[in-house]
Amino acid sequence: MQQILAIIRLAVALVILIVGALLVLLACLWPWRVQKCRPAAWVTVWLARGFCRLFNVRVHCAEPTQLRQHQGLIFPNHLSYLDIIVLLSITPVRFLSMAAVRNYPLIGWIAHAIGTVFVVREDENSRQQARQAIVQSLAEEPDPPLVLFPEGKIGKGDRLLPFRHGAFEIAVEHGIAFLPCVLRYTPLGIAAWHDGHLLAPVWALAKFPGPLRVEVKPLTVVQPEPVDDPVQLVAMTEQRMAAALGATQS
């Protein structure tokens, strides 16, 4: 029965993704904003909510207005491929992503349509261009906020990986507010990334009857000052997020 459930869910998810990509295309033709955000961004919110309902992923955020009203950067922990969908199910957001995602069928188009900033992480010039793109994007388009995962990659969920300093340096240099945010999954094993390809965790979720519960907890907004030390901000944010998660730091 679990295999049948998984096949049905994945088939429906593919249909939703195809239809969603077409709706995003149409939304891109609409020149006006909806609640300060691109119409395409709201389409992705509806897609994320539909995905969560299909796979019995129940997202709980006690203070969603903190995410919805924030202008600047959001720094969540990164423990699952579901993190993006979970955040999108609450409110429109944008992301910093590796450049390869831009070429993914359907997903790459949707990511581009909602204002994702793409970066080639192995290329120093591209990283510098990404910094400039982040600052320019937030200056020209304050809404919705831009999500950066400060760990830089997906962890196993039992601890925080060391934070990278680049995003904090951007925040200090340009006075951009950032909102630390923690995500917690129950049961963790269904959501956590497995070594290898994406197929294994997606199949595990598809055949899991659920519910998979996700707690999203925004912390206090930090408004950096020019005199702040990015290294100290990194340490402070790591400690706050680890305490909120009840996790350890690597």
Side-chain angles (χ1 to χ4, degrees):
M1 288 298 294
Q2 288 183 333
Q3 284 75 14
I4 295 175
L5 174 64
I7 293 171
I8 292 174
R9 279 176 165 174
L10 292 174
V12 173
L14 180 59
V15 172
I16 291 175
L17 183 60
I18 294 172
V19 173
L22 293 175
L23 291 175
V24 167
L25 176 62
L26 293 175
C28 288
L29 302 176
W30 185 264
W32 297 283
R33 302 271 170 163
V34 178
Q35 297 182 27
K36 299 182 180 181
C37 297
R38 303 180 187 186
W42 288 106
V43 174
T44 60
V45 170
W46 301 329
L47 288 175
R49 291 175 180 174
F51 180 94
C52 289
R53 182 177 292 273
L54 176 63
F55 289 89
N56 202 5
V57 178
R58 300 184 186 179
V59 180
H60 174 71
C61 180
E63 300 179 61
T65 54
Q66 275 191 272
L67 294 171
R68 291 170 181 159
Q69 296 178 358
H70 180 64
Q71 288 187 333
L73 300 167
I74 297 177
F75 292 162
N77 58 314
H78 201 11
L79 66 160
S80 174
Y81 67 99
L82 291 172
D83 296 342
I84 292 172
I85 295 171
V86 166
L87 291 169
L88 277 172
S89 73
I90 299 172
T91 187
V93 288
R94 295 171 281 170
F95 296 90
L96 181 72
S97 175
M98 60 182 182
V101 173
R102 181 68 180 87
N103 298 320
Y104 290 178
L106 301 179
I107 294 175
W109 165 250
I110 293 173
H112 174 71
I114 65 173
T116 297
V117 177
F118 298 100
V119 56
V120 180
R121 290 174 177 165
E122 296 78 15
D123 185 340
E124 182 64 34
N125 291 329
S126 179
R127 288 198 295 270
Q128 184 59 37
Q129 291 172 5
R131 288 192 177 203
Q132 296 171 357
I134 289 168
V135 175
Q136 182 177 352
S137 177
L138 289 173
E140 296 177 351
E141 192 175 357
D143 296 290
L146 179 65
V147 175
L148 282 77
F149 296 102
E151 293 168 284
K153 60 182 179 180
I154 297 178
K156 294 184 178 180
D158 58 342
R159 67 190 62 203
L160 290 176
L161 299 176
F163 285 5
R164 299 185 178 183
H165 294 190
F168 293 86
E169 293 170 355
I170 294 171
V172 171
E173 182 178 353
H174 297 277
I176 301 173
F178 64 85
L179 175 63
C181 180
V182 297
L183 286 74
R184 194 157 36 201
Y185 293 81
T186 307
L188 176 60
I190 296 297
W193 181 264
H194 302 268
D195 293 334
H197 298 290
L198 181 61
L199 180 60
V202 169
W203 181 253
L205 175 65
K207 67 180 184 178
F208 179 63
L212 173 63
R213 303 184 187 277
V214 192
E215 179 186 3
V216 180
K217 185 177 181 180
L219 305 182
T220 305
V221 175
V222 178
Q223 179 61 64
E225 300 291 338
V227 295
D228 287 336
D229 181 355
V231 175
Q232 293 181 351
L233 282 180
V234 168
M236 178 195 72
T237 306
E238 284 183 333
Q239 291 171 2
R240 289 176 57 201
M241 291 178 62
L245 281 167
T248 58
Q249 298 168 243
S250 297

